[in-house]
Amino acid sequence: MSRIIAFCYDSFMRGPEQACLIDWRRILLSQVGGRVLEIGAGTGASLPLYPNVPGLELVLTEPDVDMRRRLERSVAELPDSNITVLDCPAEALACEDESIDWVFVSLVCCTVVDLPATLAEIWRVLKPGGHLLFLEHVAAEKGTRRRRWQDRVNFIWRRIAGNCHLNRETEAQIRRAGFQIESITRESMRKAMPLARPTIRGVALKPRQAGSKPEETQASSR
Ligand SMILES: C[S@@+](CC[C@H](N)C(=O)[O-])C[C@H]1O[C@@H](n2cnc3c(N)ncnc32)[C@H](O)[C@@H]1O
């Protein structure tokens, strides 16, 4: 993501953040504890919303140098926190196998280069019984007018918005990666641009039982 996007990002997102995203983030994050990995943490919009629970350890990843600089500034403002910032991409997480209790992604699955590879990495680093929390804008239902416009505009939007895809079917990809979706809410992101309004948020489980491995991942989806 370019320096300009990093510079404008918080102002661009202020409307949707205040209208709904802050509340959605806070409710999702209220459940976490132990070792938590947030992927593509951006400028740190979720940082103040983590619960103040003993033993919480945060690992944040952000591969974009300009976003990461802002993230590190936000981290530095928090007193007494146990936070590490990594520069690895979601497709190659610098975390050990089965070392994480919770993974959080917000507005990231739309942007990564390879979503199946990202979900395979999340599966790898999560402990059995660990959870993926997601808050993502997604493709509108097939056959709708909004979906047709998402498909039409996607090519251009990706180029001006740091590889953000308007039409990813993220819920289907999460299920395909082997996760069991425990809860999901579909809601419109208020104050966002119309083609990015459909969202999903919820909790997905990496089951404990052996044999629930994800399908073989393939190179890049849409
Ligand atoms: C739309 S922003 C969302 C930022 C933050 N998660 C939030 O909710 O405000 C997308 C973020 O994903 C990051 N990103 C892009 N490609 C990535 C990748 N391959 N792996 C991890 N993060 C990536 C971008 O640098 C950017 O910070």
Side-chain angles (χ1 to χ4, degrees):
M1 214 177 269
S2 75
R3 191 168 292 188
I4 296 170
I5 293 177
F7 179 75
C8 299
Y9 188 76
D10 287 341
S11 314
F12 182 71
M13 291 303 293
R14 191 158 295 132
E17 286 291 347
Q18 289 173 354
C20 52
L21 290 176
I22 290 175
D23 288 342
W24 294 351
R25 291 174 195 279
R26 184 179 287 116
I27 290 166
L28 279 175
L29 291 173
S30 65
Q31 333 172 45
V32 305
R35 194 150 192 250
V36 183
L37 169 66
E38 181 178 342
I39 297 174
T43 57
S46 297
L47 264 185
L49 306 171
Y50 280 91
N52 189 5
V53 288
L56 186 73
E57 181 190 345
L58 281 185
V59 180
L60 312 176
T61 74
E62 180 45 63
D64 181 87
V65 65
D66 297 301
M67 295 296 256
R68 195 169 59 252
R69 206 167 288 143
R70 286 161 196 277
L71 178 64
E72 283 166 340
R73 244 181 267 150
S74 309
V75 168
E77 284 166 15
L78 295 177
D80 303 330
S81 49
N82 187 358
I83 303 179
T84 310
V85 178
L86 303 175
D87 63 1
C88 52
E91 296 86 349
L93 294 171
C95 301
E96 309 225 320
D97 295 0
E98 302 188 352
S99 60
I100 302 289
D101 297 292
W102 297 82
V103 172
F104 178 51
V105 286
S106 65
L107 312 177
V108 166
C109 292
C110 55
T111 301
V112 294
V113 176
D114 189 335
L115 183 52
T118 294
L119 291 165
E121 276 293 87
I122 294 173
W123 181 279
R124 179 184 68 75
V125 303
L126 267 179
K127 296 176 184 171
H131 290 87
L132 165 64
L133 298 173
F134 53 90
L135 191 185
E136 294 290 336
H137 75 81
V138 294
E141 226 170 285
K142 275 189 184 138
T144 60
R145 194 158 167 250
R146 196 189 301 259
R147 177 58 182 270
R148 281 194 293 279
W149 274 105
Q150 285 179 328
D151 291 340
R152 266 178 219 141
V153 171
N154 192 51
F155 180 80
I156 296 289
W157 181 250
R158 277 172 55 192
R159 272 150 188 79
I160 57 176
N163 201 44
C164 172
H165 294 62
L166 293 165
N167 57 356
R168 277 199 169 152
E169 295 181 351
T170 302
E171 179 186 345
Q173 297 272 7
I174 291 172
R175 292 183 193 278
R176 202 165 297 144
F179 292 95
Q180 289 174 8
I181 295 198
E182 291 185 332
S183 70
I184 185 161
T185 304
R186 298 176 183 82
E187 202 168 334
S188 178
M189 188 182 352
R190 295 183 297 283
K191 301 273 174 81
M193 72 141 194
L195 294 182
R197 277 188 198 161
T199 69
I200 55 169
R201 64 182 189 278
V203 186
L205 169 73
K206 174 181 173 179
R208 286 179 195 280
Q209 311 90 294
S212 351
K213 291 228 174 90
E215 291 168 15
E216 196 67 25
T217 54
Q218 296 166 356
S220 189
S221 69
R222 258 179 309 132

